[in-house]
């Protein structure tokens, strides 16, 4: 069963912030939220992950709601190279549960 | 991040032959690596978990005798597709897990595109 729900596709204008939503209403207390993206014909690229606090790195920001049932990945200034499929994944943080289950993701297209 | 390589990047073979794909962790030792398969316009599907020094753990529906995994060192895992058939044509991707003390994150290789004629 899918643990996350994402829109199938989104468009964003170049230079604007891209906000990608993800629902994970059945998330449990020891599960992290991970975001990866996959550019066409390449392996997935790690973006960011978090447990309950908001996180920021050089690529993106992750905003997790207080009840942890949803999150938003923010790419602050989208470029054409950000066009990719973005996957939101919930993963158990306990030792021995490192595997990731990919859903269908959101296909983000950056429009010039 | 982490650097993961795969070799070859692309392979074309005849039906019935075996193909070996290598996955290397270039900048850290990985006790756990993963193998995924991705068909066109579909998402990644986990095939197996490769554990250094022990037998791989296969996901339900994945034939362990057809997809042989060897994780003989902390930096190398290999996937051999035995007696390949056209339906095995796919994009095969490996990942390495960097332990929780550091980042507790998987990093992916660039993928290997297999075409079986």
């Amino acid at each position: 069963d899918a643990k996350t729900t994402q829109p199938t596709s989104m468009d964003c204008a170049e230079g604007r912030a891209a906000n990608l939503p993800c629902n994970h209403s059945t998330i449990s207390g020891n599960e992290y939220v991970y975001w990866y993206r996959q550019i066409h014909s390449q392996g997935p690229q790690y973006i960011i992950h978090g447990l309950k606090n908001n996180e920021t790195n050089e690529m993106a920001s992750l905003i997790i709601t207080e009840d942890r049932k949803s999150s938003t990945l923010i790419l602050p200034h989208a470029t054409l190279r950000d066009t990719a499929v973005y996957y939101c994944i919930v993963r158990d943080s306990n030792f021995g549960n490192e595997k990731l289950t990919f859903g269908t993701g959101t296909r983000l297209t950056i429009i010039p | 991040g982490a650097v993961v390589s795969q070799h070859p990047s692309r392979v074309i073979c005849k039906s019935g032959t075996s193909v070996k794909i290598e996955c290397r962790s270039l900048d850290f030792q990985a006790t756990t690596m993963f193998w995924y398969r991705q068909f066109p316009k579909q998402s990644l599907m986990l095939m197996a978990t490769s554990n250094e020094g022990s037998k791989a753990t296969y996901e339900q529906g994945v034939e362990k005798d057809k997809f042989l995994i060897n994780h003989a060192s902390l930096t190398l895992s290999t996937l051999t597709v035995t007696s390949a058939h056209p339906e095995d044509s796919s994009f095969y991707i490996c990942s390495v897990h960097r332990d929780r003390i550091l980042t507790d994150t998987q990093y992916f290789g660039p993928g290997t595109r297999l075409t079986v004629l």
Side-chain angles (χ1 to χ4, degrees), chain A residues 32 34 36 38 41-46 49 87 91-104, chain B residues 32 34 36 38 41-46 49 59 91 93 97 100 103-111 113:
Chain A
Y32 282 87
Y34 281 79
Y36 284 81
Q38 186 178 26
S41 293
Q42 297 182 23
Q45 177 188 22
Y46 166 76
H49 73 286
Y87 296 98
R91 202 212 95 190
D92 194 322
S93 63
N94 288 324
F95 180 77
N97 291 317
E98 291 87 8
K99 58 183 181 180
L100 301 173
T101 301
F102 284 78
T104 53
Chain B
T32 304
F34 299 90
Y36 295 81
Q38 185 175 32
K41 299 189 187 303
Q42 294 186 23
S43 188
L44 282 79
M45 290 192 59
L46 179 65
T49 302
E59 295 299 302
F91 193 48
I93 310 167
H97 178 256
R100 59 191 59 246
T103 66
D104 196 11
T105 300
Q106 280 187 40
Y107 296 93
F108 287 80
R113 188 162 301 283

Side-chain angles (χ1 to χ4, degrees), chain A residues 5-98:
Chain A
T5 305
Q6 299 178 251
T8 303
S9 63
M10 292 180 62
D11 292 341
C12 177
E14 187 179 15
R16 304 295 294 268
N19 296 279
L20 292 92
C22 179
N23 274 317
H24 30 80
S25 57
T26 61
I27 194 170
S28 64
N30 62 344
E31 288 183 316
Y32 282 87
V33 179
Y34 281 79
W35 282 84
Y36 284 81
R37 72 180 182 185
Q38 186 178 26
I39 295 169
H40 183 62
S41 293
Q42 297 182 23
Q45 177 188 22
Y46 166 76
I47 301 174
I48 199 166
H49 73 286
L51 185 62
K52 51 184 174 183
N53 297 323
N54 296 337
E55 302 287 342
T56 295
N57 63 20
E58 65 278 3
M59 288 184 69
S61 295
L62 173 60
I63 309 298
I64 302 174
T65 57
E66 196 167 335
D67 63 7
R68 302 186 69 238
K69 292 185 177 183
S70 66
S71 61
T72 301
L73 179 75
I74 301 173
L75 308 179
H77 305 287
T79 71
L80 298 178
R81 286 181 293 182
D82 293 322
T83 292
V85 178
Y86 286 75
Y87 296 98
C88 169
I89 301 168
V90 166
R91 202 212 95 190
D92 194 322
S93 63
N94 288 324
F95 180 77
N97 291 317
E98 291 87 8

Side-chain angles (χ1 to χ4, degrees), chain B residues 28-29 31 97-105:
Chain B
F28 72 95
Q29 295 180 330
T31 55
H97 178 256
R98 192 151 202 181
D99 65 48
R100 59 191 59 246
I101 296 174
L102 296 170
T103 66
D104 196 11
T105 300

